[in-house]
């Protein structure tokens, strides 16, 4: 069965969308991930028909059979990206083709039908155009887009499903942190790991998050903001947070980040920051860095700054790190200079207020 790479999206307008006043009230204070726009994108896959039935339709609950495969064996993947309001009132996406590629790679790892990248991109473009009035304005605000796909076959047998449902929902998001990101304190998990070699660490799947929540809850119980995971083999090398990659900044002006070894999610923010830093003449190393080295370097002053990064919170300074029997501060505990510079450079490109030498922005309208 040949998959149509481009399907036409059938548009079914919401018959009772939120009023302009309701929308304005929501956009004035959207929070994160709680309110959704009037429409959603849906595409179906079955082994016999391939990808078919592409639609933009009213946002509404799904009806799921209790024997739906995803509810039992967790064949599910997702993406996260944002539409940004441009200074002239238009809107743009940031490197959406990278999300399309990663979504396909996640699908392959989870033995799911890979969605053609052009279809992924078309679904995003069509949904944002349909709900264009939902993109908030203002510093740090955006329309957060959540593409996801799950095994929708009704069958309890253990095997890759033969039917999938792909959807995109959109949620207006305010500044993740108002007035610049405050520093976070990390908790080093010493008995939970996020991903092992050969596992699903490099796939953006819900199961990775399910497995990380108990460690994240432990971090909160310990008075910290986020958990940071060490490698599963030696329990020494820093990997990443539950949903963000991590960078270290040294006193010689160089930076490092853990290498993509298969157990780390290949963040698009991570890759963009590496490119921006190198473009600014900063030496960037992708190398393993142990928790002991981190503690020693923070104490000696060799390590000056550290930050986490990802689409949702962009760049988040790390102020302190705690674990069983130890605690150390990074720099003066506040956001570092290079951290701030990189964040501003990236945000400037995303908002269309800084030059975009790499052609990362895709203007939608
Ligand atoms: C999505 C994600 C990231 C960040 O990726 P971006 O493409 O930068 O948003 C980092 N780690 C994990 C585990 C993730 O799921």
């Amino acid at each position: 069965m040949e998959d149509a790479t481009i399907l036409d999206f059938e548009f079914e307008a919401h018959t009772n969308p939120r009023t302009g006043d309701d929308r304005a009230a929501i956009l004035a204070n959207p929070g994160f991930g709680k309110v959704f726009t009037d429409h959603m994108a849906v595409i179906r896959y079955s082994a016999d028909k391939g990808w078919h039935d592409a639609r933009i339709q009213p946002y509404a609950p799904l009806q799921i059979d209790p024997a739906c495969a995803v509810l039992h064996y967790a064949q599910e993947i997702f993406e996260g990206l944002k539409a940004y309001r441009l200074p002239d009132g238009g809107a743009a996406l940031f490197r959406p083709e990278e999300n399309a590629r990663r979504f396909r790679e996640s699908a392959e790892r989870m033995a799911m039908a890979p969605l053609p990248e052009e279809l992924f991109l078309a679904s995003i473009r069509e949904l944002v155009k349909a709900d264009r009035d939902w993109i908030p304005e203002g510093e740090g605000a955006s329309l957060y887009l959540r593409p996801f796909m799950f095994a929708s076959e009704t069958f309890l047998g253990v095997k890759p499903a033969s039917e999938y449902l792909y959807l995109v929902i959109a949620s207006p998001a305010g500044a993740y942190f108002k007035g610049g990101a405050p520093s976070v304190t990390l908790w080093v998990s010493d008995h939970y790991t996020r991903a092992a070699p050969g596992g699903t660490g490099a796939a953006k799947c819900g199961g990775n998050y399910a497995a990380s929540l108990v460690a994240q809850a432990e971090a909160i119980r310990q008075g910290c903001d986020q958990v940071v995971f060490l490698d599963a083999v030696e329990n020494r090398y820093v990997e990443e947070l539950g949903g963000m990659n991590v960078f270290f900044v040294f006193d010689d002006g160089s930076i490092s980040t853990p290498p993509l070894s298969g157990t780390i999610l290949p963040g698009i923010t991570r890759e963009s920051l590496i490119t921006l830093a190198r473009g600014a003449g900063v030496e960037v190393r992708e190398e393993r860095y142990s928790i002991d080295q981190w503690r020693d370097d923070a104490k000696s002053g060799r390590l000056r700054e550290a930050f986490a990064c990802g689409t949702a919170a962009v760049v988040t300074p790390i102020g302190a790190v705690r674990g069983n029997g130890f605690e150390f501060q990074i720099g003066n505990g506040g956001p570092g200079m290079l951290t701030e510079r990189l964040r501003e450079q990236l945000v400037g490109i995303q908002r269309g207020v800084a030059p975009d030498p790499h052609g990362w922005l895709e203007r939608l309208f």
Side-chain angles (χ1 to χ4, degrees), residues 57-78:
Q57 64 188 52
Y59 184 99
L62 304 171
Q63 222 179 30
I64 300 271
D65 191 286
C68 184
V70 68
L71 300 179
H72 303 273
Y73 310 124
Q75 250 191 317
E76 190 269 354
I77 57 171
F78 67 96

Side-chain angles (χ1 to χ4, degrees), residues 6-14 38-44 51-59 119 122-131 166 168:
I6 282 298
L7 298 171
D8 281 331
F9 282 76
E10 189 160 317
F11 181 63
E12 180 195 341
H14 204 299
D38 291 321
H39 298 91
M40 61 187 190
V42 183
I43 315 177
R44 289 170 190 281
W51 290 101
H52 64 283
D53 203 8
R55 300 166 59 83
I56 303 293
Q57 64 188 52
Y59 184 99
L119 259 185
S123 68
I124 303 279
R125 293 172 188 138
E126 294 295 325
L127 180 62
V128 175
K129 282 176 195 162
D131 285 337
Y166 165 80
V168 190

Side-chain angles (χ1 to χ4, degrees), residues 7 9 52-53 151 154 163 248 277 300 326-327:
L7 298 171
F9 282 76
H52 64 283
D53 203 8
T154 301
E163 289 171 25
F248 310 99
S300 74
F326 68 88
E327 168 156 18

Side-chain angles (χ1 to χ4, degrees), residues 78-81 99 102 194 201 203-205 208-209 240-245 264-271 309-312 314:
F78 67 96
E79 271 301 326
L81 69 164
N99 297 95
R102 188 168 65 189
R194 195 191 82 92
K204 211 168 173 71
C205 61
N208 287 344
Y209 279 75
E240 62 170 315
L241 315 197
M244 281 191 270
N245 296 115
I264 289 175
L265 201 288
I268 297 162
T269 316
R270 173 189 180 279
E271 206 274 327
C309 67
T311 295
V314 197

Side-chain angles (χ1 to χ4, degrees), residues 200-222:
T200 58
K204 211 168 173 71
C205 61
N208 287 344
Y209 279 75
S212 76
L213 295 179
V214 66
Q216 175 63 24
E218 182 180 84
I220 300 290
R221 233 176 17 251
Q222 295 288 346

Side-chain angles (χ1 to χ4, degrees), residues 9-318:
F9 282 76
E10 189 160 317
F11 181 63
E12 180 195 341
H14 204 299
T15 52
N16 188 21
R18 255 71 56 92
T19 64
D21 282 353
D22 281 356
R23 194 174 56 237
I26 291 167
L27 293 187
N29 197 1
F32 182 81
K34 283 192 282 213
V35 190
F36 299 90
T37 62
D38 291 321
H39 298 91
M40 61 187 190
V42 183
I43 315 177
R44 289 170 190 281
Y45 176 89
S46 64
D48 55 336
K49 285 197 197 161
W51 290 101
H52 64 283
D53 203 8
R55 300 166 59 83
I56 303 293
Q57 64 188 52
Y59 184 99
L62 304 171
Q63 222 179 30
I64 300 271
D65 191 286
C68 184
V70 68
L71 300 179
H72 303 273
Y73 310 124
Q75 250 191 317
E76 190 269 354
I77 57 171
F78 67 96
E79 271 301 326
L81 69 164
K82 290 171 168 175
Y84 302 91
R85 185 66 76 180
L86 298 173
D88 65 2
L93 301 169
F94 181 75
R95 309 187 74 181
E97 65 288 345
E98 294 296 315
N99 297 95
R101 186 161 58 90
R102 188 168 65 189
F103 195 68
R104 182 177 51 70
E105 290 168 356
S106 295
E108 284 163 359
R109 176 62 184 83
M110 306 303 286
M112 302 169 82
L115 180 71
E117 291 169 41
E118 271 312 313
L119 259 185
F120 178 99
L121 293 169
S123 68
I124 303 279
R125 293 172 188 138
E126 294 295 325
L127 180 62
V128 175
K129 282 176 195 162
D131 285 337
R132 58 195 289 157
D133 295 339
W134 284 90
I135 308 172
E137 286 171 33
E139 172 92 38
S142 62
L143 183 63
Y144 183 81
L145 299 159
R146 168 54 60 88
F148 63 106
M149 170 163 71
F150 62 88
S152 54
E153 185 179 2
T154 301
F155 183 49
L156 290 186
V158 179
K159 64 159 186 84
S162 62
E163 289 171 25
Y164 296 94
L165 203 56
Y166 165 80
L167 295 101
V168 190
I169 55 176
S171 176
Y176 208 82
F177 301 109
K178 290 224 162 69
S183 298
V184 294
T185 298
L186 300 187
W187 173 254
V188 182
S189 179
D190 63 356
H191 53 281
Y192 296 114
T193 55
R194 195 191 82 92
T200 58
K204 211 168 173 71
C205 61
N208 287 344
Y209 279 75
S212 76
L213 295 179
V214 66
Q216 175 63 24
E218 182 180 84
I220 300 290
R221 233 176 17 251
Q222 295 288 346
C224 297
D225 303 293
Q226 291 276 328
V227 62
V228 57
F229 289 101
L230 304 179
D231 78 282
V233 176
E234 296 186 54
N235 227 325
R236 278 176 65 195
Y237 295 103
V238 179
E239 296 231 300
E240 62 170 315
L241 315 197
M244 281 191 270
N245 296 115
V246 62
F247 278 83
F248 310 99
V249 181
F250 298 93
D251 60 351
D252 64 358
S254 68
I255 70 181
S256 83
T257 190
L260 300 179
S261 54
T263 56
I264 289 175
L265 201 288
I268 297 162
T269 316
R270 173 189 180 279
E271 206 274 327
S272 303
L273 291 171
I274 290 174
T275 301
L276 289 179
R278 286 192 176 139
V282 173
E283 179 194 327
V284 184
R285 296 179 304 279
E286 293 179 71
E287 67 182 12
R288 302 216 285 179
Y289 193 58
S290 72
I291 183 66
D292 293 339
Q293 190 73 50
W294 194 2
R295 180 172 44 197
D296 291 350
D297 288 347
K299 288 195 168 140
S300 74
R302 177 172 175 254
L303 180 104
R304 289 285 169 80
E305 310 173 22
F307 61 86
C309 67
T311 295
V314 197
V315 168
T316 303
I318 299 167

